[in-house]
Structures are given as C-alpha cells and as structure tokens.
Amino acid sequence: MEIISGLLVDIFEKRIFPANVHLREGKISKIESIPELTILSKNKEQPAFYILPGFVDAHVHIESSMLVPAEFARMAVVHGTVGTVSDPHEIANVCGIEGVEFMIADGNRVPFKFNFGAPSCVPATVFETAGATLDAQDVSALLQRREIKYLSEMMNFPGVFMGDKEVMDKIAAAKLMGKPVDGHAPGLRGEEARRYIQAGISTDHECFTKEEALDKLQWGMKILIREGSAARNFEALIELLHDHPNDMMFCSDDKHPDSLLEGHINLLCSRAINKGIDVFNVLRAACINPVLHYNLDIGLLREGDAADFIVVQDLKTFKILQTYINGELVAENGRVSVGGRWDRGNEIKKQTAINNFKARRKEIAEFAIPISGAEAGKLIPVIEALEGQLITNSLYYAPKIHQGNVVSDTDRDMLKIVVVNRYYEAPVAKSFIKNFGLKSGAIASSVAHDSHNIVAIGVDDESLCKAVNLVIQHQGGISCVSPSSADEGNVESVLPLPVAGLMSAANGYEVAAAYTAIDAMAKSLGSTLAAPFMTLSFMALLVIPHLKLSDKGLFDGDKFEFV
C-alpha cells in the first residue's frame, strides 16, 4: 500500500481538505481526513500540495500532434493529462480500420488512458479523394469493441437533416450500444441546431461564438471549449463556464508537438482561473465532465476509483508535480518515470509500416494556371484564411497575369494554393489564398484534413513543386522551401511523417524540436500566422465553411458544391 498526502480537492462536494489517499492494486482504497499540520511541504514554508483528478482532453486527434499515441502520451502526462477522448478520424481516412487498429495497439504500449471513437465520416465528403471508406456496418462493428467509447464527430449535418440512411444507421448503432455521438456543426443555429441535436448528437467542439454555444446548450448539447494550435475558441466561450459548469469540457482538437511541449489542459485551467471562473467549475470541465459523459474508465478521486490523479503546486498555475495512472507514478517534475511501459525499446521501429502513399514526383509545369484573354478580365475566387479559426472567407480579386498564367501576387498577399492527390495520379488542383503572408518560397504538408492529400502554398511554381516533391520523397511530412539566390542555393527543410503520412515514430521531444525549426523557417519567409502548418492543414477541410480546396477542385462549404 502507498499513501499520498496533500490538500484533496473534492470537486463533487466543492470542498478542499487535508487527506491521506491510500493506494492499493491500482485503486484508491481509502481517503481519510487528517490534521493539516501533518502535511506541510518539504521546505515547511508553503502550504501542502493539492491532489485532484487528472485532466482529460475531451476531443483530440492524436494524429495532429504528428506523434504516434505512445509518444503523445509521454509528452501529455507531464502536464497532468491522464486520458483523452481520441478521434482516429485522420488515420481512418488514410488507412481505414487498419489505421484505427494501429492507434489502439500503439496506445496500449504505454500507461495512459486513450479512449478512441468510431470514425463516422470516412470519407468526410464525396467531394474529395480519401484512402478508405467506413460504411455503417464497419462503424457498427467498431462500436461493439470495448476500446471504442463513442461515435466520432458527425460532420455530415446535411445528411442528418435529410435522414441519409448511412448516417442514421451509424447514429442508431451508437444508440444501440449506449455510446454517445459527437457533433461537428460550426455555425449551426436555431431550428437546424435543434433538429441536429435531437437526432442524438450530444456534443459540439466547433462553436466560435458565445451566442452559437448558448443556442446549442438550450437543447441539451454539451459544449467543448477548444483551444488548439490553430483553432482557438477559449476567449469566445470561457465565460459560459460561470453558468453551465455541468455542460462544458476542455479540448485541444488539433495540437502540434511544439505547443504540446508547452502545456495541455493545465494551461486552460490556469487561464480560466485568471478570468475569475470558480475553481470547481474549471476542474469540473477539465476532469469530471468528460469521464461522466463518455463513461470512461478514468478515476475521479473517490474511494474505489482507479488511482488516476495529479499532485499540483497550487490552484492558480496548476504546476504539475506528479501524475498517477492506475496508482503508478508515471510523471514527476516535468519528466516521465523511468523504465516500465515507458521504455521505447525496439518496438517503436515497427511503427513506420502503416501508410497509403502512391503519389509520384511532380513537374513544375503541373502547377501552372494558364488563362485565356477572354477570362483575364474576370475576378477569381480567393480563400481568405483567418488566424485562430477553421472557417475561411470567400473573396474575389482581379488575377495577376504573367506570360499567360495566373500567378501569386505578394503585394496583395494572394498566393497560389494547390492540393495533390496522394492516392492515385490526378491533375493538381489549384487556387489562390490570402493571409499566409509568404514573400518567397513555399510550404507543403501531407497533414491535410480530412483526406490528407498533399496541400501546399507558395509564391512561385518551382518552390511549390520542390516542397510537394519533398513530401512525396518521404512518403509524408511537412516541408518548407526557400528559393535560390545569387549567394546560395535552395534552402530546403522537411519533417518526415512516415506513419500514414501523418505521424513520426521518433521521440516526441525531438519531433517538437524539428517542428519548431521548420515552423520558424516558414515564418522567416514572411508568414505572420501563429501556426502556419496547422492553418495550412485545414485549407482542404471541406466541411468547414466557406471556401476550401480539395484534390477535385475549389469547394463552397455553404452550398456544398464546387465553385
């Protein structure tokens, strides 16, 4: 038996008291109140440390961290995260059920509580090329598995409204198994929101205004406050936690390795406290609500629960001192524990096998956009990327023409964007985009939601071609190319992502360092975005309005048709 002493934070009863927490065989066998003077910290100068349930990320795509699950866990536990509600939608769109199986198996290698969902939208739409299809029968089979806790985000809200049989069969399968259905309906309001929710959709992480969230809360939906590397809705939604503490959770959705290095749900808790939110409301959203809503096997610091808890220095900064999972000390003072199931061994070398990448090297001419004299005077549609949002705007500009081709115009920050099919040979899809800010060169990525074809943005076709070919050469990754000058040749950088073209099997901290370097290179070319590669990855996300580019062409997310 082991005993942990500190100020216990009882979120259910909204009280804090000095206690001994008794651990036996991975569970909390007893919680006893004790005199406060017996648990002063070691230096005798500050109050005792606080013991509280571990943090849970209520919606995350592990693949977006560019790390395999085991490496994500190694970085997350040092920030007090003991579990995630993980949607393997990204790898499923590339590798199908085999991809979901990979995520479960890799997550099982480490002492961390991953809770995966059954992807509901593979492919996400018929307007793009994906690597796999999961029909209602496939989804039903996944939902019957113990490891699958819920039906992942139902992005096809038009299908819900129209009563599409495949969509409704997937929802019905989740209901039959008593498992919740996640939502994904940015901007949905009023009667449409009511119909969507009453079909059985229980959560949404896509609200970007307080009014939208209130609209959905009134019909019984749980609202997730998302703060990822690109999409950031914390400031817009956090005040709702005052009045709706039982109906809200925190999530990151998509988090790159550099920001995971800095912190996780602990940072949102600290920010919420600084906003004047009651500490028990904050911790209910961060620790309790995800476990209760998804029926997770994660302890909540009660007698008989799994011993999943954290020890923090205070309830303002939430500096993590220790993280326990199933009674095992898995992280302490910013480092994972040594040995045990954290030992990478030689297993990690096997994790590069799964992929689905058939694109061939491209030629510069494939990126040109010729234009005839009759069309030269017409305005062309331009995607406007928005900092901190997944939604984009639809703009129209007069094209810049050079030698019979439409080209990028850095003076107006109107750059060429392309999507290259990674699954079979097809023409390169091409359009234009604002707000990436590049003054030279190009960036490219095979992380491109939802189908993960190659997306690239650049100032000139040569740089675009080189950036795309770097990704193809490594069977997936992110790349940055700075064009040659009189003094030096091309400067090229690539972070290979050989696991499904989405993830690296390397040490997470090494991946974070490599990502930080290539992110800095992109910004040195002029990008003013906080996370240019994360924002780039969403420019092919057709289910988010208003204008996006798929491998099949420019797409209007409001009308759900090609421009």
Side-chain angles (χ1 to χ4, degrees), residues 473-487:
Q473 176 186 338
H474 291 278
Q475 299 287 280
I478 62 173
S479 67
C480 184
V481 171
S482 177
S484 59
S485 66
D487 300 322

Side-chain angles (χ1 to χ4, degrees), residues 193-248:
R194 183 193 67 80
R195 289 174 57 200
Y196 182 66
I197 294 164
Q198 292 189 345
I201 316 297
S202 65
T203 68
D204 195 13
H205 58 276
E206 292 289 347
C207 294
F208 47 88
T209 68
K210 179 179 178 181
E211 294 71 26
E212 179 188 348
L214 283 169
D215 223 11
K216 292 171 178 173
L217 281 165
Q218 71 172 320
W219 297 110
M221 180 173 263
K222 309 289 186 184
I223 298 300
L224 279 58
I225 299 176
R226 172 178 60 189
E227 192 78 352
S229 294
R232 302 175 183 270
N233 308 122
F234 179 93
E235 294 295 334
L237 304 179
I238 191 60
E239 295 299 325
L240 293 171
L241 200 48
H242 284 300
D243 299 323
H244 303 275
N246 295 330
D247 299 315
M248 306 195 74

Side-chain angles (χ1 to χ4, degrees), residues 253-533:
D253 196 5
D254 296 286
K255 199 167 183 68
H256 269 178
D258 59 333
S259 57
L260 184 59
L261 183 66
E262 296 173 0
H264 199 191
I265 303 301
N266 58 319
L267 297 183
L268 302 188
C269 290
S270 180
R271 286 176 61 184
I273 294 297
N274 288 333
K275 292 281 187 182
I277 310 296
D278 178 80
V279 67
F280 292 107
N281 289 0
V282 172
L283 294 178
R284 186 163 190 96
C287 311
I288 305 297
N289 292 344
V291 175
L292 297 182
H293 181 73
Y294 293 99
N295 192 28
L296 307 180
D297 182 25
I298 294 177
L300 295 177
L301 202 55
R302 300 171 297 190
E303 290 185 356
D305 279 1
D308 308 320
F309 61 90
I310 57 179
V311 180
V312 303
Q313 182 170 290
D314 57 60
L315 299 180
K316 293 182 180 179
T317 65
F318 294 94
K319 179 180 179 181
I320 309 300
L321 304 178
Q322 295 177 323
T323 303
Y324 287 82
I325 297 178
N326 287 335
E328 177 186 353
L329 178 62
V330 296
E332 186 170 23
N333 295 323
R335 295 179 178 274
V336 296
S337 58
V338 178
R341 291 175 65 202
W342 290 122
D343 187 5
R344 288 166 53 87
N346 293 320
E347 290 182 90
I348 202 72
K349 296 178 181 178
K350 301 176 184 178
Q351 307 306 322
T352 58
I354 188 169
N355 208 336
N356 188 0
F357 216 104
K358 300 181 176 68
R360 63 158 178 80
R361 286 181 59 83
K362 300 300 173 186
E363 303 296 331
I364 296 174
E366 296 179 70
F367 296 88
I369 305 178
I371 189 168
S372 67
E375 296 173 323
K378 296 179 181 179
L379 300 181
I380 60 172
V382 176
I383 303 166
E384 183 184 30
L386 301 175
E387 179 71 86
Q389 300 292 343
L390 303 192
I391 60 169
T392 57
N393 288 330
S394 177
L395 306 175
Y396 282 83
Y397 279 81
K400 178 180 179 180
I401 302 171
H402 178 69
Q403 296 181 348
N405 292 309
V406 186
V407 297
S408 295
D409 185 348
T410 55
D411 291 338
R412 292 183 292 170
D413 188 20
M414 194 175 84
L415 306 178
K416 187 177 290 185
I417 177 172
V418 301
V419 175
V420 176
N421 189 311
R422 66 130 86 172
Y423 302 105
Y424 57 78
E425 284 306 309
V428 175
K430 293 158 279 197
S431 188
F432 288 88
I433 192 165
K434 275 187 68 68
N435 288 349
F436 268 77
L438 297 180
K439 299 300 182 184
S440 63
I443 59 175
S445 174
S446 60
V447 180
H449 310 276
D450 280 307
S451 294
H452 302 289
N453 292 294
I454 305 168
V455 60
I457 290 172
V459 172
D460 64 278
D461 291 350
E462 182 179 359
S463 295
L464 271 170
C465 186
K466 287 179 178 177
V468 167
N469 282 338
L470 278 172
V471 172
I472 293 172
Q473 176 186 338
H474 291 278
Q475 299 287 280
I478 62 173
S479 67
C480 184
V481 171
S482 177
S484 59
S485 66
D487 300 322
E488 58 183 23
N490 291 331
V491 178
E492 301 174 355
S493 179
V494 62
L495 170 56
L497 301 174
V499 183
L502 302 173
M503 295 170 282
S504 169
N507 178 284
Y509 293 93
E510 294 174 1
V511 176
Y515 175 80
T516 298
I518 198 169
D519 176 74
M521 182 178 174
K523 290 171 180 174
S524 75
L525 298 180
S527 179
T528 57
L529 293 168
F533 283 102

